Amino acid sequence: MRSTFCLKALSVAIATFSVASAASAAGLDRSGQDITAFLQDGTYAETVYTYIDADVTGKDTSGNKIDDIAEDYDFFRYGVKTDINDTFSIGVLYDEPFGAAADYVGENDFITNSSADALIQGFTKDPNLNEAIVDQSIAALQGALAPGNPEGLSPEQLQQAQGDLIGLQAARNLADTAGQETQVEVRSENLTGILGAKFGANKEFQVYGGPVIQQVKADVKLRGTAYSSASGYTAHISNDQDYGWLAGLSYSKPEIALKAALTYRSEIEHEADASEVFPIATAAGATAGRALPTTRNDKIDITTPESVNFDFQTGINPTTLATAKVRWVPWSDFAIVPSLYNDVSKIATQDDDGLALVSYDDDQWVVELGLAKRLSPALAVSGNIGWDSGAGDPVTSLGPIEGYYSVGLGAKYNVTENWAVSAGGKYLWFGDAEGQIPNKTVVSNFEDNDGYIVGVKLSYQAAQ
C-alpha cells in the first residue's frame, strides 16, 4: 500500500501560507512558522518565495479617506532535512515569522500636513512665531542660561528662562516632523535546528526539538492629529538576536498517507537597543513637574510570543489527500513598551503603568483545510480554505485588520524524480476593524478590504 499512497506524488502543491501581518491578519504574524519540511521522508530541501499584496483602506474619524496603508511585502523560507538512520533525523529551517509594513499617505489625520511655522504656532499658541524666530530665541535663552549666569538673572528669571527654553525646543522638534506620515516596519528572522528521534514498533512516532535563533528590528513613526500629543514620536529598535526552542511530536501511517504533528515554539525574550524621539516630552514633563528629555537611548524588552501548530494530512483515496492546519498564538500577552513613550504616557493617564506603544486584546487562531489531487504521476493540484480570528477589534491603528477568510489554489509539477516546482495563490477577505491609539481612543475605521498572496517553491526529495 505504501506505493499506492505515495506521499511524494500526493504532496500538497503549496504548503500552507500563514497569511498574517500588521496589514493582513493577527498581531505581527507572517510566515505561520511552518515546519512541514522537517516532516518529509528521506532527504528533503525546499526554497519558498512569498509575495503579499494587501489593500487596506478606510476613513479617519474626521471623515478623511485613508488610502491603502499596507505596503507590499515579500519573504523567503528555506528548509533542509535528512535522515541519519532509520531512527534519527536532523534539519535546519529558516523563515521570517513576524513583521509589519504600513505607511499612511494622502491627506488624513495620520499625516503631519501643516508647515513647520504652523506647527510652531499651533503648539505655542503664538501666531507671530516662526522657525527663524524660534531658532534665534533658543540661541538667546541658551546663552542666558550658560554656566555662571553671565547675564546675572535672578532665580525667578532663571526659572522663567528655563521654562521658555523647554517650550521652544519642544516646538522646534515638533516642527521637524512637518509633511511626514505615520509609518511602521517590523522585521524578524528565525533559524531553527531540529533533531528528531523515531520510536514505536514501526517507527511511526517521532519526537523532535531544537534551538531557535531569532533576530528582530523595528521602526515606528507616529504623525498627525490622530495621535494627539504623541504626534511626532519616532522609535528605532536596533537589530537584536536572542534564543528560544522548539519541541514536538509526530505520528505517521504510510499505508494511508497519514501524518500528524503537534509543534510548540517557545517565546523569545529580547533586550534591544532603542532610540526614541518625542518632541513634546520635555514640555509634558515640565508641566507635570518631571524632568523628561526629548530623546532617549535605552534598552527595550520585547518578548515574541509562543505558538502551537497542528499539521495533519491523510489519504482519502489513492490520488487524493486531505490536509488541515491549526495555529494558536497568544497575542494578548504581547506588548511593545518603549521607556520614553511610556514615561510621557504616565502623565496623560495619571497612573504608574502608562501605555504600551503596541498591544493586542485577543489571542490568534488560524484554521486551514485543503484537498490535493494527483492528476498524473508528475502533476498535482490543490485547493484550500482558511480562517484567521484576528487579535481583537478595535485593534492598533498600525495594523487595522480583524482576521480574514481565504481561498487558495496551487499546483505542483515533478520535473524529475527528485525535483519539483510548485506555484499557487490565495485570495483574502479581511475583517472590518476600527483602529485605535494606545489610550483606546478609536481614530479610524477600515471596511471591505482584501488582498492576495502568491508563492513559488522549488523542492528536492530523495527517499532513503
Side-chain angles (χ1 to χ4, degrees):
M1 292 295 292
R2 177 183 292 269
S3 59
T4 303
F5 280 90
C6 178
L7 293 180
K8 183 176 177 182
L10 290 177
S11 293
V12 179
I14 295 294
T16 300
F17 288 109
S18 290
V19 188
S21 72
S24 60
L28 304 175
D29 212 12
R30 271 283 165 83
S31 73
Q33 297 182 296
D34 187 90
I35 67 128
T36 53
F38 180 75
L39 303 177
Q40 302 302 312
D41 293 335
T43 296
Y44 179 83
E46 68 177 22
T47 298
V48 183
Y49 171 77
T50 304
Y51 175 82
I52 302 174
D53 187 347
D55 184 16
V56 181
T57 63
K59 290 185 177 181
D60 61 29
T61 49
S62 299
N64 301 308
K65 181 182 178 181
I66 299 174
D67 294 328
D68 185 14
I69 70 168
E71 294 187 345
D72 299 347
Y73 192 93
D74 63 351
F75 56 89
F76 284 91
R77 185 176 79 241
Y78 306 101
V80 60
K81 171 263 179 185
T82 191
D83 295 331
I84 299 174
N85 51 41
D86 63 353
T87 298
F88 294 102
S89 302
I90 58 172
V92 177
L93 307 176
Y94 167 87
D95 72 331
E96 300 178 33
F98 307 117
D103 186 3
Y104 283 81
V105 296
E107 296 184 4
N108 53 68
D109 292 347
F110 297 87
I111 311 294
T112 307
N113 286 320
S114 301
S115 68
D117 289 348
L119 288 174
I120 289 172
Q121 293 161 7
F123 180 77
T124 61
K125 310 302 181 184
D126 187 339
N128 298 314
L129 289 181
N130 56 41
E131 283 189 277
I133 295 175
V134 167
D135 289 341
Q136 294 170 3
S137 299
I138 289 175
L141 287 169
Q142 289 174 332
L145 293 170
N149 191 9
E151 296 190 12
L153 300 179
S154 66
E156 292 78 11
Q157 290 173 321
L158 283 171
Q159 185 176 9
Q160 179 63 47
Q162 288 172 339
D164 291 343
L165 180 60
I166 287 172
L168 289 173
Q169 286 177 327
R172 188 67 185 83
N173 289 335
L174 184 61
D176 289 338
T177 69
Q180 297 180 3
E181 63 268 2
T182 296
Q183 295 177 323
V184 60
E185 182 173 14
V186 179
R187 286 276 186 174
S188 68
E189 296 178 283
N190 267 19
L191 187 65
T192 304
I194 307 179
L195 173 65
K198 297 182 178 69
F199 63 96
N202 298 308
K203 304 291 187 179
E204 66 271 29
F205 292 98
Q206 179 178 217
V207 292
Y208 53 89
V212 179
I213 303 172
Q214 184 178 87
Q215 293 185 338
V216 296
K217 61 181 179 180
D219 287 282
V220 177
K221 294 180 180 179
L222 306 183
R223 302 292 185 265
T225 57
Y227 292 101
S228 185
S229 60
S231 179
Y233 175 80
T234 299
H236 170 68
I237 300 174
S238 299
N239 189 57
D240 180 74
Q241 178 174 295
D242 226 301
Y243 306 91
W245 53 274
L246 167 152
L249 174 67
S250 68
Y251 171 79
S252 65
K253 190 174 183 180
E255 295 83 355
I256 58 172
L258 187 150
K259 284 188 176 183
L262 186 67
T263 307
Y264 172 82
R265 285 182 179 267
S266 73
E267 62 182 24
I268 299 180
E269 298 179 356
H270 293 268
E271 187 181 53
D273 293 323
S275 300
E276 298 177 79
V277 178
F278 208 146
I280 67 167
T282 302
T287 301
R290 299 174 60 182
L292 291 176
T294 57
T295 62
R296 179 181 291 175
N297 296 314
D298 200 358
K299 294 290 186 179
I300 181 172
D301 294 325
I302 298 176
T303 301
T304 55
E306 62 184 343
S307 65
V308 176
N309 282 21
F310 176 70
D311 296 278
F312 177 84
Q313 69 173 44
T314 187
I316 297 177
N317 59 48
T319 62
T320 307
L321 189 74
T323 64
K325 288 178 176 286
V326 180
R327 175 169 168 82
W328 170 78
V329 186
W331 284 110
S332 59
D333 297 333
F334 176 83
I336 298 178
V337 190
S339 64
L340 180 56
Y341 182 92
N342 184 250
D343 284 347
V344 177
S345 71
K346 289 176 182 178
I347 297 170
T349 58
Q350 297 183 345
D351 63 37
D352 294 331
D353 294 329
L355 299 172
L357 178 61
V358 177
S359 63
Y360 301 96
D361 294 331
D362 297 338
D363 296 345
Q364 173 195 16
W365 285 92
V366 182
V367 179
E368 186 168 278
L369 305 175
L371 286 174
K373 177 72 174 180
R374 185 184 56 163
L375 301 181
S376 72
L379 178 64
V381 296
S382 65
N384 57 66
I385 57 173
W387 168 77
D388 186 305
S389 68
D393 182 29
V395 70
T396 171
S397 59
L398 299 177
I401 290 296
E402 172 61 357
Y404 66 82
Y405 289 95
S406 70
V407 59
L409 295 172
K412 177 180 179 181
Y413 183 75
N414 295 315
V415 181
T416 70
E417 181 182 358
N418 302 120
W419 291 93
V421 176
S422 305
K426 181 180 291 185
Y427 183 78
L428 309 159
W429 293 269
F430 298 135
D432 298 343
E434 293 180 316
Q436 65 181 6
I437 58 177
N439 67 5
K440 304 302 182 182
T441 299
V442 173
V443 292
S444 57
N445 187 50
F446 292 80
E447 297 179 343
D448 302 325
N449 291 312
D450 58 8
Y452 67 88
I453 295 176
V454 293
V456 293
K457 176 168 70 174
L458 176 66
S459 61
Y460 172 88
Q461 187 167 22
Q464 291 182 345

